[in-house]
Amino acid sequence: LFVENLSLGLIVYNDITILLIEITVIGTLAILLFAVSTLTIYLRGSYLTRKAFGVLDELTEKANNISSQNLNLRLNVNDSTDELIEIALTFNRMMDRIEKAYEKQNQFVSDASHELRTPISVIQGYARMLDRWGKDDKDILQESIQAIKKESENMQDLVEKLLFIARNDKDTLVLVKGRFNMSELIGELIRETILLETNHNIESHVEPEIMLDGDRDRIKQALRIFVDNALKYTETGKIITIKLTIEDNYAVVTVRDNGIGIPEEQLPNIFDRFFRVDASRERDKGGHGLGLSIARIIVLRHGGRIKVASKPGEGTRFKIYFPIDLPPSTSHSE
């Protein structure tokens, strides 16, 4: 038997229940992961934001409360995030500088007031003496006049030094610079020292025709301070040496004495304002402890530097360096 036009069909039935369950589970996990991630980010961000604004709020509060009475305010670095720790450290370093500068300024005012108090008290004392007995006693009159004159000159010298330092601090110190012969200046300084000082032996060595750009009067003022200190602290009859040489494109002035010397632990402080190695000794000699501070200002303003070596009982050596421009072929050494 033949069957014509016979059509066959295949019908397949699949159970998709498992697939639907898998899709549902994966979707649920994805939603749950998204929710957890979102919540974590929110909480973490909220925490960091609160912490960040906490540091900024602390910075704002402490900045608003800064005054001369509480310059010791600092931010707590331990609670700062990595992103904000540099801000906190910068603020603390700024406060360190402000506090140090304020303390230095207070000390300067205190020292200046103390230095001025002595000549003022002396002048007032002699003025009272004149008022009581000086009108009739010529000896008291003459003594009082000389004392008042001396103390007023001492006070004028101190005020001029204080004004010089104040101008430097305010960056209003004016240097009248020009090209001059440094060799001639040192020769002039040596001649004046020999003329005015007869109790010490002055030895010198000056290389000729050393030219320098700078304020001639100020440089001479600085070098006079070094020479006067050498004379002041060297016993009668001993040697003071003054030299001018060239060393590595620097004009080098050396002032050496055979005086009392400076203890090693005090060397770092000798250029501080009002510092005295021996306060009572220098006060007797009429010093204020400002000379070396002023000399250092002048040298640094000319781009120079100072080296000092000293040993108690053997003397002190200052080497003052001033930069100069030399031709490439020129070569000098000390």
Side-chain angles (χ1 to χ4, degrees):
L1 294 176
F2 295 92
V3 181
E4 295 181 357
N5 300 324
L6 180 64
S7 298
L8 298 175
L10 179 64
I11 299 175
V12 179
Y13 293 94
N14 292 323
D15 188 354
I16 63 172
T17 302
I18 297 176
L19 179 61
L20 291 175
I21 292 174
E22 290 177 351
I23 293 174
T24 302
V25 171
I26 293 173
T28 302
L29 290 175
I31 293 172
L32 182 61
L33 180 62
F34 175 77
V36 172
S37 299
T38 302
L39 181 62
T40 301
I41 293 172
Y42 171 76
L43 293 176
R44 179 64 177 171
S46 177
Y47 170 76
L48 292 176
T49 301
R50 287 196 305 272
K51 196 168 185 179
F53 278 105
V55 174
L56 294 177
D57 288 342
E58 183 187 3
L59 173 61
T60 302
E61 179 183 358
K62 290 190 174 180
N64 287 330
N65 292 329
I66 291 175
S67 67
S68 59
Q69 283 73 39
N70 60 351
L71 290 176
N72 59 342
L73 291 176
R74 300 294 185 273
L75 292 179
N76 187 357
V77 180
N78 295 329
D79 293 337
S80 301
T81 62
D82 292 340
E83 294 80 5
L84 292 172
I85 192 170
E86 189 59 35
I87 294 177
L89 289 174
T90 300
F91 176 84
N92 290 344
R93 286 193 292 264
M94 177 192 71
M95 291 303 301
D96 289 340
R97 292 193 298 271
I98 293 174
E99 184 176 16
K100 184 177 180 180
Y102 185 77
E103 289 175 354
K104 187 176 181 180
Q105 191 70 22
N106 274 348
Q107 186 63 44
F108 179 76
V109 173
S110 175
D111 290 338
S113 300
H114 178 75
E115 291 293 332
L116 285 169
R117 189 179 297 119
T118 299
I120 290 174
S121 298
V122 173
I123 290 173
Q124 289 176 336
Y126 274 101
R128 287 192 292 268
M129 185 184 296
L130 280 173
D131 185 50
R132 290 183 179 181
W133 304 290
K135 300 172 185 177
D136 302 321
D137 192 324
K138 290 185 178 181
D139 292 336
I140 292 179
L141 176 63
Q142 186 62 31
E143 178 186 350
S144 299
I145 291 174
Q146 292 298 325
I148 291 174
K149 182 179 178 181
K150 177 183 177 182
E151 293 302 326
S152 62
E153 290 174 351
N154 184 35
M155 189 160 53
Q156 180 183 4
D157 176 62
L158 174 60
V159 170
E160 288 176 353
K161 289 177 178 177
L162 293 174
L163 288 174
F164 179 93
I165 293 175
R167 292 190 190 102
N168 178 72
D169 290 347
K170 294 171 61 178
D171 202 25
T172 58
L173 180 63
V174 178
L175 298 178
V176 184
K177 292 186 176 182
R179 194 151 183 85
F180 67 93
N181 192 316
M182 186 68 165
S183 301
E184 291 183 357
L185 184 150
I186 299 300
E188 179 181 307
L189 181 66
I190 293 169
R191 288 193 298 274
E192 292 174 355
T193 303
I194 294 174
L195 180 64
L196 298 174
E197 176 57 48
T198 58
N199 296 324
H200 295 88
N201 296 318
I202 309 298
E203 294 185 354
S204 62
H205 169 73
V206 180
E207 292 192 12
E209 300 303 318
I210 296 179
M211 304 300 296
L212 198 68
D213 288 310
D215 188 324
R216 188 183 192 278
D217 292 338
R218 289 299 186 188
I219 289 177
K220 184 177 180 181
Q221 177 187 1
L223 297 178
R224 171 54 65 190
I225 290 170
F226 290 111
V227 173
D228 285 347
N229 273 0
L231 296 171
K232 189 181 298 183
Y233 297 115
T234 301
E235 293 180 2
T236 301
K238 289 191 175 182
I239 298 173
I240 306 293
T241 303
I242 304 172
K243 296 169 58 178
L244 174 64
T245 56
I246 293 180
E247 181 180 318
D248 297 329
N249 288 347
Y250 281 88
V252 183
V253 181
T254 302
V255 180
R256 184 196 301 268
D257 65 58
N258 292 292
I260 61 175
I262 304 169
E264 183 179 357
E265 66 274 11
Q266 294 186 348
L267 280 176
N269 304 318
I270 62 173
F271 294 104
D272 293 346
R273 300 167 186 181
F274 297 105
F275 178 80
R276 297 180 177 88
V277 175
D278 186 335
S280 60
R281 186 188 304 237
E282 185 156 341
R283 212 178 281 277
D284 292 340
K285 294 177 180 292
H288 302 291
L290 292 174
L292 288 179
S293 178
I294 290 174
R296 179 176 180 269
I297 289 173
I298 295 172
V299 173
L300 293 182
R301 284 275 182 164
H302 284 84
R305 66 180 189 271
I306 304 169
K307 291 183 180 181
V308 56
S310 185
K311 189 173 183 180
E314 296 184 11
T316 303
R317 183 196 68 190
F318 286 95
K319 295 187 75 172
I320 306 99
Y321 294 74
F322 294 99
I324 57 176
D325 295 323
L326 294 176
S329 60
T330 304
S331 176
H332 294 264
S333 61
E334 183 177 349

